[in-house]
């Protein structure tokens, strides 16, 4: 059911290159997408049929069985790179030697795919991917996420030419929570436009809204249908990131908190997102419960707290801070008060959709305990996340009104 329908939804913008009214030429070049139980076989067939015979496969221990299947079935030898680190870093990405291959294949978790994307981009190779377990929407985009010893950031990289996904190998419940967070992103996009005067491509806004609307409207006949439905939405959003050439609009304030938590513990993004989304939902709800009152913000206090929390020098923290207009601006506060009734209603709609998705998920694992996050870590991460988050969102309003200073 979902395969045919969502294949069309994910691919209707494929092979397009056109000039948009926003002044940018949008382009997407992914040629093949497959989701199903035969993804490994489809990947094998694609490698066999391609013109390349110098192939490099990135993999992890979790994907070793699929690598062995491909090695045993191909009629020629391939080179391999085993990723052992728990996260993709710029240090590792830049240290990998040139294997002289013209096709890169990535099999496994998001971290190894980001690493392979950077490599393929650096050495101008084509890229096939087979994501497993903790993949996200940007996994299917032309952007990779790497840690630079101070923070996680997105980098322009290689867009996958062919995508194959094993539908039974995914973190279904965690991905469902992650999808729920996209309605926070949609709301924060409204905040960015109304309050922070950000201009977004009208087609991109329509695409994002319609993709989420279609996801909510779709009916599932089985648990397997729901898994496949999730995967196709993530693919569609990732393809949208490539087509519109950005990731910012597709993430809300929860991303800032997730990134801050990941920086401290090098934790799994999908798992900490369950914590970040709860924090954002509660904070946004309370902030919009009544017209907020104005308090002061002490920027030096934030710099000092960030320096201690992330174990970075004050100079490095100052270089990471976002534009001061996001943190200290009377004009922003005035515009927010003008748009307050409208945004309050928009938030109510967004939270209703978040709750409707969350109600279908029952995650039993305690991720606070798994990563040893204390109350101190959570409180400070929440209070400081907006300081280094460059995409305008509601967290910056909380900073502007001085609400975060109370937690420092």
């Amino acid at each position: 059911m979902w395969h045919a329908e969502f294949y069309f939804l994910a691919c209707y913008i494929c092979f397009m290159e056109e000039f948009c009214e926003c002044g940018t030429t949008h382009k997407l070049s992914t040629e093949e997408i497959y989701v199903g139980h035969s993804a490994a076989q489809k990947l094998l067939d694609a490698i066999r049929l391609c013109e390349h015979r110098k192939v490099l496969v990135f993999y992890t221990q979790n994907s070793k069985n699929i690598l062995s299947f491909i090695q045993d079935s191909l009629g020629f030898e391939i080179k391999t790179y085993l990723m052992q680190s728990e996260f993709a870093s710029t240090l590792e990405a830049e240290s990998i030697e040139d294997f002289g291959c013209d096709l890169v294949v990535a099999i496994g978790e998001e971290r190894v795919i980001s690493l392979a994307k950077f490599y393929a981009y650096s050495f101008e190779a084509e890229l096939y991917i087979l994501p497993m377990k903790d993949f996200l929407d940007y996994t299917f985009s032309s952007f990779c996420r790497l840690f630079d010893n101070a923070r996680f950031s997105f980098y322009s990289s290689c867009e996958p030419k062919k995508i194959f996904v094993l539908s039974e190998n995914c973190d279904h419940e965690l991905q469902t929570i992650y999808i729920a967070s996209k309605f926070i992103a949609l709301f924060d996009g409204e905040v960015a436009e109304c309050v922070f005067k950000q201009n977004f491509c009208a087609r991109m806004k329509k695409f994002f809204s319609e993709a989420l609307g279609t996801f909510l409207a779709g009916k599932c006949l089985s648990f397997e249908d729901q898994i496949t439905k999730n995967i196709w939405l993530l693919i569609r959003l990732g393809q949208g990131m490539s087509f519109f050439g950005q990731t910012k609009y597709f993430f809300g304030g929860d991303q800032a908190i997730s990134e801050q938590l990941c920086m401290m513990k090098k934790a799994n993004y999908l798992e900490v997102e369950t914590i970040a989304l709860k924090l954002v939902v509660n904070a946004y709800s309370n902030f919009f419960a009544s017209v907020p009152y104005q308090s002061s913000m002490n920027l030096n206090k934030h710099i000092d707290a960030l320096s201690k929390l992330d174990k970075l020098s004050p100079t490095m923290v100052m270089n990471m801070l976002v534009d001061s207009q996001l943190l200290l601006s009377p004009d922003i506060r005035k515009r927010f008060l003008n748009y307050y009734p409208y945004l309050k209603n928009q938030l109510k709609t967004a939270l209703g959709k978040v709750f409707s998705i969350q109600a279908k998920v029952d995650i039993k694992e305690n991720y606070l305990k798994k990563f040893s996050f204390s109350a101190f870590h959570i409180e400070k991460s929440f209070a400081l996340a907006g300081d280094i988050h460059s995409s305008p969102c509601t967290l910056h309003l909380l900073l502007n009104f001085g609400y975060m200073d109370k937690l420092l």
Side-chain angles (χ1 to χ4, degrees):
M1 175 183 177
W2 285 109
H3 185 282
E5 181 176 350
F6 271 81
Y7 186 92
F8 170 76
L9 292 174
C11 300
Y12 80 104
I13 53 176
C14 285
F15 309 113
M16 290 179 62
E17 180 176 358
E18 59 182 65
F19 185 76
C20 179
E21 60 188 23
C22 71
T24 304
T25 298
H26 300 311
K27 182 179 180 181
L28 186 67
S29 55
T30 298
E31 293 183 357
E32 182 178 355
I33 303 174
Y34 173 85
V35 176
H37 301 298
S38 304
Q41 181 63 51
K42 295 289 186 181
L43 172 60
L44 173 63
D45 294 341
I47 297 173
R48 280 174 172 165
L49 293 173
C50 76
E51 60 185 15
H52 307 298
R53 286 299 175 266
K54 294 180 179 179
V55 181
L56 172 62
V57 179
F58 283 73
Y59 72 104
T60 64
Q61 289 293 345
N62 292 331
S63 55
K64 197 171 183 178
N65 289 341
I66 293 180
L67 172 65
S68 298
F69 165 71
I70 291 174
Q71 286 178 313
D72 295 342
S73 304
L74 278 178
F76 58 91
E77 186 177 352
I78 58 177
K79 298 182 183 295
T80 61
Y81 180 88
L82 172 61
M83 180 183 183
Q84 296 180 328
S85 57
E86 292 300 312
F87 57 95
S89 67
T90 54
L91 181 63
E92 181 176 9
E94 293 170 352
S95 66
I96 302 174
E97 64 176 292
D98 182 1
F99 286 86
C101 296
D102 42 20
L103 173 64
V104 173
V105 178
I107 306 171
E109 303 91 327
E110 158 52 35
R111 58 193 172 100
V112 74
I113 292 174
S114 277
L115 199 66
K117 281 182 184 179
F118 187 91
Y119 177 90
Y121 180 79
S122 299
F123 297 107
E124 300 181 342
E126 286 189 353
L127 176 67
Y128 297 173
I129 65 172
L130 195 158
M132 296 170 58
K133 292 187 70 62
D134 66 339
F135 54 84
L136 303 93
D137 45 2
Y138 61 82
T139 303
F140 305 101
S141 75
S142 57
F143 297 92
C144 63
R145 176 175 172 267
L146 303 174
F147 184 66
D148 64 1
N149 292 325
R151 63 185 299 184
F152 286 91
S153 301
F154 287 111
Y155 296 83
S156 293
S157 59
C158 182
E159 182 182 340
K161 186 173 183 179
K162 301 195 177 190
I163 296 169
F164 308 93
V165 188
L166 283 165
S167 55
E168 66 271 25
N169 273 313
C170 67
D171 289 331
H172 164 63
E173 292 192 325
L174 291 174
Q175 288 168 334
T176 302
I177 294 296
Y178 179 75
I179 287 170
S181 76
K182 294 302 170 181
F183 289 96
I184 297 296
L186 203 61
F187 169 73
D188 271 331
E190 289 285 325
V191 172
E193 280 198 304
C194 295
V195 181
F196 295 97
K197 295 300 181 183
Q198 297 288 299
N199 294 317
F200 297 115
C201 171
R203 288 184 62 192
M204 179 177 67
K205 291 166 54 183
K206 183 180 179 182
F207 165 82
F208 191 30
S209 179
E210 288 184 349
L212 296 179
T214 302
F215 174 83
L216 282 182
K219 304 296 182 182
C220 293
L221 300 179
S222 67
F223 179 71
E224 186 176 359
D225 276 347
Q226 184 64 54
I227 293 176
T228 307
K229 177 185 178 185
N230 282 8
I231 294 172
W232 278 115
L233 176 65
L234 295 175
I235 291 173
R236 188 181 183 192
L237 294 181
Q239 294 277 278
M241 292 176 190
S242 295
F243 187 67
F244 294 106
Q246 67 151 287
T247 59
K248 285 185 178 181
Y249 187 73
F250 296 87
F251 292 92
D254 53 291
Q255 183 205 15
I257 301 170
S258 293
E259 296 286 8
Q260 181 61 41
L261 292 172
C262 286
M263 277 193 287
M264 286 192 299
K265 300 284 187 175
K266 312 301 183 295
N268 177 282
Y269 190 103
L270 275 177
E271 293 175 339
V272 299
E273 175 62 27
T274 62
I275 303 169
L277 184 58
K278 289 178 182 177
L279 291 171
V280 159
V281 166
N282 290 332
Y284 285 19
S285 298
N286 290 326
F287 185 68
F288 279 89
S290 60
V291 178
Y293 61 87
Q294 178 62 53
S295 185
S296 61
M297 177 193 177
N298 186 334
L299 189 56
N300 289 329
K301 195 174 182 180
H302 284 251
I303 293 172
D304 182 61
L306 266 172
S307 178
K308 292 176 180 176
L309 184 67
D310 293 336
K311 297 179 176 60
L312 300 171
S313 68
T315 302
M316 184 175 291
V317 169
M318 290 178 66
N319 290 333
M320 292 168 56
L321 286 178
V322 297
D323 191 322
S324 61
Q325 286 298 307
L326 291 182
L327 305 178
L328 298 166
S329 173
D331 291 338
I332 288 175
R333 292 191 285 271
K334 290 177 182 177
R335 283 198 296 270
F336 168 70
L337 294 175
N338 290 335
Y339 280 101
Y340 171 77
Y342 168 75
L343 292 174
K344 183 175 182 178
N345 186 60
Q346 292 296 102
L347 177 63
K348 182 179 178 181
T349 301
L351 292 182
K353 294 173 181 177
V354 171
F355 294 146
S356 69
I357 295 175
Q358 285 182 321
K360 302 173 184 177
V361 180
D362 181 22
I363 296 178
K364 295 181 173 61
E365 185 163 4
N366 186 334
Y367 294 112
L368 290 172
K369 184 177 181 180
K370 177 178 178 177
F371 297 111
S372 300
F373 285 127
S374 66
F376 172 85
H377 290 133
I378 298 300
E379 189 176 83
K380 294 299 184 288
S381 293
F382 169 68
L384 298 167
D387 290 295
I388 56 176
H389 186 64
S390 60
S391 181
C393 65
T394 307
L395 287 183
H396 295 112
L397 289 175
L398 271 71
L399 284 165
N400 255 281
F401 279 82
Y403 280 36
M404 299 303 199
D405 285 47
K406 298 176 177 62
L407 300 175
L408 301 178

